[in-house]
């Protein structure tokens, strides 16, 4: 698999590309399948439908990897937190973790109750061409914790930060509880057919440098170390969004570092390129204009000239991006890098 070879710095016939949120609303085909499901969570819990939308971008765009269709919040949901997705508002839990006693309401072994995710992986791996990789994933403990504490998405993370600075041991207890669940969750994804894994730390940038590594990065390192000790052949990607100024302190047992669009790729290559393969970092909004895409591809490939690299966006595809532009992006990256 070209994608897997690139993760391990092996020579590939061209630079592989896949895209975060590549299965989604910008595809008419996705919207058709989405209509047949009761709601977003019903789609996630239906292995046949979830597999269908997982495979769509591979067939339509020609990307080199599929990422299983699910959501990072299914883990806290299966820990006993009622979850709903609301149009125009996003995800919201039916209760919030605000103190130690609230955590006593959470259920252990949530990873055992996500069988629909594993079944989606199995179905997809059976249908996916052998040349294409299948990526499993999870959210980071810190990012999941913010949703569980705030109860929904947040702009300022007031309650999460209040817990961090007023009751750090309570937050650490929650983070370790999540890390333990995620180790098993990712391991089960490998057993179900995932060829690579990715950890999304979407709200990494909410933390200042002095606390980020203690309350987020170290937990991802712990998960990575656990997975790599058992499955060294499975590449692991870490994606912390918004910490471009912290890169000199990055370390850990993983293979690929996802660079967000707000971070200089040249700087990331200078600091991390000798240790990790980089993935990124096209600004998603450039996909509104194909000339802007061409300019960015030129700059990105020039920066990563002859270096192991995985082309991706610096965050997820926006829902109203023209599909034709995404198809052209994949063609241009493959064409420009073909050896």
């Amino acid at each position: 698999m070209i994608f897997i070879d690139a993760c391990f710095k092996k020579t590939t016939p061209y630079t592989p590309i896949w895209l975060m949120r590549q299965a989604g609303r910008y595809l008419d085909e996705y919207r058709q399948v989405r209509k047949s499901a009761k709601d977003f969570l019903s789609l996630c819990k239906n292995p046949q439908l979830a597999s269908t939308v997982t495979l769509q971008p591979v067939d339509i765009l020609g990307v080199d990897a599929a990422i299983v269709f699910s959501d990072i919040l299914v883990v806290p949901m299966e820990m006993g937190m009622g979850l709903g997705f609301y149009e125009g508002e996003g995800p919201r839990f039916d209760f919030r973790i605000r103190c130690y006693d609230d955590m006593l309401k959470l259920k252990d072994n949530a990873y055992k109750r996500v069988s629909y995710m594993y079944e989606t992986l199995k179905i997809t791996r059976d249908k996916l061409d052998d040349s294409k990789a299948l990526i499993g994933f999870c959210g980071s403990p810190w990012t999941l914790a913010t949703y569980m504490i705030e109860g929904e998405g947040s702009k300022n993370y007031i309650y999460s930060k209040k817990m961090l600075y007023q009751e750090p041991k309570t937050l650490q207890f929650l983070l370790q509880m999540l890390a333990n669940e995620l180790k098993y969750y990712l391991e089960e994804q490998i057993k179900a057919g995932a060829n690579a894994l990715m950890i999304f730390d979407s709200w990494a940038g909410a933390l200042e440098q002095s606390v980020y590594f203690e309350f987020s990065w170290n937990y991802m390192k712990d998960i990575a170390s656990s997975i790599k000790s058992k499955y060294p052949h499975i590449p692991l990607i870490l994606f912390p969004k918004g910490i471009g100024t912290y890169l000199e302190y990055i370390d850990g047992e993983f293979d690929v570092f996802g660079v967000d669009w707000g971070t200089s790729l040249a700087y990331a290559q200078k600091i991390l390129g000798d240790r990790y393969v980089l993935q990124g970092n096209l600004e998603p909004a450039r996909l509104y204009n194909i000339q802007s895409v061409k300019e960015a591809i030129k700059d990105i490939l020039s920066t990563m000239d002859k270096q192991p690299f995985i082309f991706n966006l610096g965050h997820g595809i926006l829902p109203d991006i023209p599909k034709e532009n995404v198809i052209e992006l994949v063609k241009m990256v493959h064409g420009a890098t073909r050896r």
Side-chain angles (χ1 to χ4, degrees):
M1 297 176 187
I2 291 173
F3 172 82
I4 301 299
D5 286 346
C7 290
F8 289 129
K9 297 187 176 183
K10 296 180 180 179
T11 301
T12 57
Y14 55 81
T15 296
I17 176 172
W18 72 278
L19 308 170
M20 289 182 278
R21 291 194 197 139
Q22 63 187 16
R25 288 176 288 173
Y26 75 102
L27 292 175
D28 296 335
E29 295 85 351
Y30 168 85
R31 291 197 295 270
Q32 289 299 316
V33 176
R34 175 68 176 78
K35 286 179 183 178
S36 65
K38 178 182 176 183
D39 51 40
F40 176 77
L41 282 175
S42 297
L43 178 54
C44 292
K45 291 182 176 182
N46 185 317
Q48 292 291 345
L49 294 183
S51 177
T52 295
V53 296
T54 298
L55 290 165
Q56 283 175 343
V58 178
D59 298 332
I60 298 167
L61 308 178
V63 290
D64 297 290
I67 183 165
V68 63
F69 186 84
S70 187
D71 193 271
I72 63 171
L73 298 182
V74 297
V75 172
M77 179 183 72
E78 297 297 353
M79 294 174 80
M81 299 186 70
L83 176 64
F85 283 79
Y86 303 92
E87 192 69 33
E89 298 180 29
R92 188 165 66 243
F93 286 113
D94 63 2
F95 81 95
R96 290 144 171 77
I97 304 295
R98 296 289 168 80
C99 64
Y100 179 81
D101 286 346
D102 288 337
M103 283 186 275
L104 300 180
K105 303 173 185 177
L106 298 175
K107 302 175 183 177
D108 293 333
N109 298 322
Y111 74 94
K112 294 181 178 180
R113 295 185 288 277
V114 200
S115 57
Y116 45 87
M117 165 70 136
Y118 312 140
E119 186 61 25
T120 299
L121 282 160
K122 291 175 183 176
I123 293 171
T124 305
R125 186 60 270 174
D126 285 344
K127 293 182 178 180
L128 191 61
D129 189 276
D130 290 343
S131 67
K132 307 288 186 177
L134 178 58
I135 304 170
F137 71 92
C138 70
S140 73
W142 161 251
T143 290
L144 295 183
T146 63
Y147 279 105
M148 297 167 77
I149 296 167
E150 305 295 332
E152 56 192 331
S154 176
K155 293 182 179 180
N156 46 33
Y157 311 93
I158 288 177
Y159 296 102
S160 303
K161 292 186 177 184
K162 184 181 291 186
M163 184 181 292
L164 189 156
Y165 292 110
Q166 290 186 347
E167 301 179 59
K169 292 189 182 301
T170 299
L171 179 56
Q172 288 168 337
F173 185 88
L174 176 59
L175 293 169
Q176 191 59 61
M177 181 187 300
L178 287 165
N180 292 341
E181 286 285 353
L182 294 171
K183 291 174 188 177
Y184 290 115
Y185 182 51
L186 292 176
E187 188 169 347
E188 290 301 315
Q189 291 184 48
I190 294 171
K191 294 176 182 177
N195 307 115
L197 299 171
M198 183 163 175
I199 304 177
F200 290 89
D201 196 9
S202 304
W203 307 138
L207 292 175
E208 60 180 316
Q209 182 179 307
S210 62
V211 296
Y212 174 71
F213 289 91
E214 179 181 357
F215 287 88
S216 184
W217 187 258
N218 285 347
Y219 290 93
M220 291 203 291
K221 279 177 58 179
D222 178 38
I223 294 169
S225 177
S226 175
I227 294 296
K228 294 301 289 185
S229 68
K230 298 178 182 178
Y231 304 95
H233 65 290
I234 299 293
L236 184 58
I237 309 164
L238 299 191
F239 176 67
K241 186 175 183 291
I243 62 160
T245 59
Y246 308 172
L247 297 190
E248 61 184 294
Y249 304 103
I250 291 295
D251 66 339
E253 298 174 61
F254 62 100
D255 306 288
V256 181
F257 184 86
V259 184
D260 67 82
W261 64 264
T263 299
S264 163
L265 190 59
Y267 179 69
Q269 172 63 13
K270 178 182 177 182
I271 301 299
L272 301 175
D274 62 333
R275 289 176 286 155
Y276 307 112
V277 172
L278 299 186
Q279 174 181 279
N281 75 332
L282 181 72
E283 214 276 54
R286 280 188 176 266
L287 283 164
Y288 286 121
N289 179 274
I290 202 66
Q291 184 58 38
S292 295
V293 172
K294 291 178 180 178
E295 293 168 359
I297 290 174
K298 182 179 179 181
D299 289 342
I300 289 171
L301 295 180
S302 175
T303 298
M304 298 305 301
D305 184 38
K306 298 180 182 178
Q307 301 295 316
F309 183 56
I310 297 165
F311 204 104
N312 206 314
L313 303 181
H315 202 221
I317 294 180
L318 300 169
D320 62 340
I321 291 293
K323 175 177 69 175
E324 295 73 20
N325 290 0
V326 187
I327 294 171
E328 189 62 24
L329 164 67
V330 176
K331 288 180 179 178
M332 286 190 289
V333 171
H334 283 166
T337 59
R338 196 171 297 279
R339 298 175 177 85

